[in-house]
Amino acid sequence: MRVGRPAVFLLLALTGAAGAAQAQEPAEDPARVVGPPRGPRLQGAALETRADEVAGLLRCPVCQGLSVADSPSTMASNMRAQVKDLVAAGYDEEQVLSYFERSYGEFVRLKPPLRGVNWLVWLAPLLGLVLGAVVIAWALRAPRAAAAEAPANDTGIAAPDALPGPDTLPSDPVLARCVLRVRERAYGWPGGVSPAREGGPAAAPVPAAGRPV
Amino acid sequence: MASSERSSPATPAPRAVVNRRVLLAGLLVVAPLIAVLLLNLGRDPHSIRSPLVGRTAPAFALTPVGGGPAITLESLKGRPLVLNFWATWCAPCIEEHPTLVETASALRGDVQFLGVVYEDDEDRVRAFLQRRVAPYPSLLDPEAKTAIAYGVAGVPETYFIDAAGVIQAKVAYPLNPEMMAENLRKVRR
């Protein structure tokens, strides 16, 4: 449905007249949102520096992970100007951040405040670090503890009785054949089978090789 | 490997190689990630609930396109208000324009509609409105102060404000008649 232009202008005039009575009212008074300014009014270089610092703590809502201080977007530029106005008027960092948080939510803060579920964000890396250190310490201690338990000779090499027994073979067939070959060469046992076993039960069958090594 | 080889006395069958500690540690890491994923599967990542919903709408005093006295939010209280942030360069805004025009015409006198121009040039807006006439005023928002106060992060965004000046809904999509009707119900109760 289309509306004639005169009707639009009439509407504009009527609506405008309605608002004209209170046109002097400030658009949005930050003091109503975050209370009166808690800091000193700033100007000149101090203002620029402080405004940049605070803008660096705000997320640009139309960008991907950029702060308002770093983003070249028009939106960020407008937000920077507003940050500067607020800082100049004496609003402190927390008040400025709270003012924007009222509109955009906590999302607008680049540093999530330490409250509620946000504790996880701060503590999870520390927790990960501690857990990682525990795991590494445990992994390093385990072989040492095993070596300490095994009787050692002067050379520091585990005593023969600490080694796997002559009846023990690894489950991996290729490894088992290697062990038998080593036993044959090292101890002169035919086929790598302990002579003590010859009168005993049948020698352990060598698993079929999966593939040549 | 054949199972008969594993069952021999010299080559005991390997047990299922599952280190319970590693499994538990893995589950502790992976389970929360899966939970977060499942909880958010149906959610639109672009849809962030406005913290302003349920709160008093930020005040504004903006000049209409074409000139004239500023229009304030205060002056519009007493009637539901549909506040639409838009721009001429925004294709979805053009897409939703007919819905806004038709609804505003149909509900004239009952619901107030207002456009707020977002990051656009007044001449372009005026030219646009000459081609696509709207039965409600569009306001200029220099430096986007009102857009920022409303938490606008793109256009179109439409706020449904009840007669008491409380924001009841925010829509960050181009409106269609169904969405318009659904959200109008929230402010016309």
Side-chain angles (χ1 to χ4, degrees), chain A residues 156-185:
Chain A
I157 299 170
D161 56 353
L163 294 169
D167 290 338
T168 316
L169 279 177
S171 58
D172 181 69
V174 175
L175 205 56
R177 288 167 71 86
C178 288
V179 168
L180 289 174
R181 252 183 253 159
V182 169
R183 283 178 183 168
E184 186 176 16
R185 288 184 180 224

Side-chain angles (χ1 to χ4, degrees), chain A residues 1-5 7-8 11-13 15-20 22-29 32-33 61-62 73-76 78-79 81-82 85 99-107 138 167-173 176 197 203-208, chain B residues 1 5 8-14 19 21 48 50-52 55-61 64-65 69-76 101-102 105-106 108 112 114 118-119 130-138 143-154:
Chain A
M1 176 179 176
R2 293 178 68 86
V3 178
R5 204 172 304 162
V8 175
L11 195 80
L12 277 172
T15 323
Q22 299 183 46
Q24 300 307 313
E25 174 197 319
E28 174 72 352
D29 183 7
R32 281 193 203 168
V33 181
V62 297
S73 72
T74 311
M75 182 55 136
N78 286 326
M79 285 175 80
Q82 207 161 342
D85 287 349
Y99 179 74
F100 286 93
E101 187 179 353
R102 193 274 307 247
S103 310
Y104 289 98
E106 207 172 73
F107 159 85
W138 175 77
D167 290 338
T168 316
L169 279 177
S171 58
D172 181 69
R197 287 185 51 112
V206 179
Chain B
M1 189 189 300
E5 290 164 4
S8 70
T11 52
N19 185 327
R21 284 182 193 167
I48 298 172
S50 170
L52 287 172
R55 297 172 73 167
T56 304
F60 59 79
V65 174
I71 295 176
T72 67
L73 175 68
E74 191 62 32
S75 68
L76 302 170
V101 168
E102 283 169 24
S105 303
R108 187 180 301 167
Q112 174 70 53
L114 277 184
Y118 175 82
E119 291 183 11
Q130 276 171 358
R131 290 196 309 274
R132 300 166 190 258
V133 177
Y136 54 87
S138 273
E143 296 176 354
K145 282 188 175 173
T146 300
I148 292 170
Y150 277 79
V152 172

Side-chain angles (χ1 to χ4, degrees), chain A residues 111-202:
Chain A
K111 275 190 190 171
L114 285 172
R115 63 186 178 215
V117 78
N118 289 351
W119 276 100
L120 273 179
V121 179
W122 292 90
L123 290 183
L126 286 176
L127 216 68
L129 206 66
V130 171
L131 275 177
V134 169
V135 167
I136 290 170
W138 175 77
L140 289 176
R141 268 191 70 180
R144 280 190 202 164
E149 280 172 20
N153 55 25
D154 290 341
T155 61
I157 299 170
D161 56 353
L163 294 169
D167 290 338
T168 316
L169 279 177
S171 58
D172 181 69
V174 175
L175 205 56
R177 288 167 71 86
C178 288
V179 168
L180 289 174
R181 252 183 253 159
V182 169
R183 283 178 183 168
E184 186 176 16
R185 288 184 180 224
Y187 304 125
W189 297 343
V193 181
S194 166
R197 287 185 51 112
E198 282 175 355

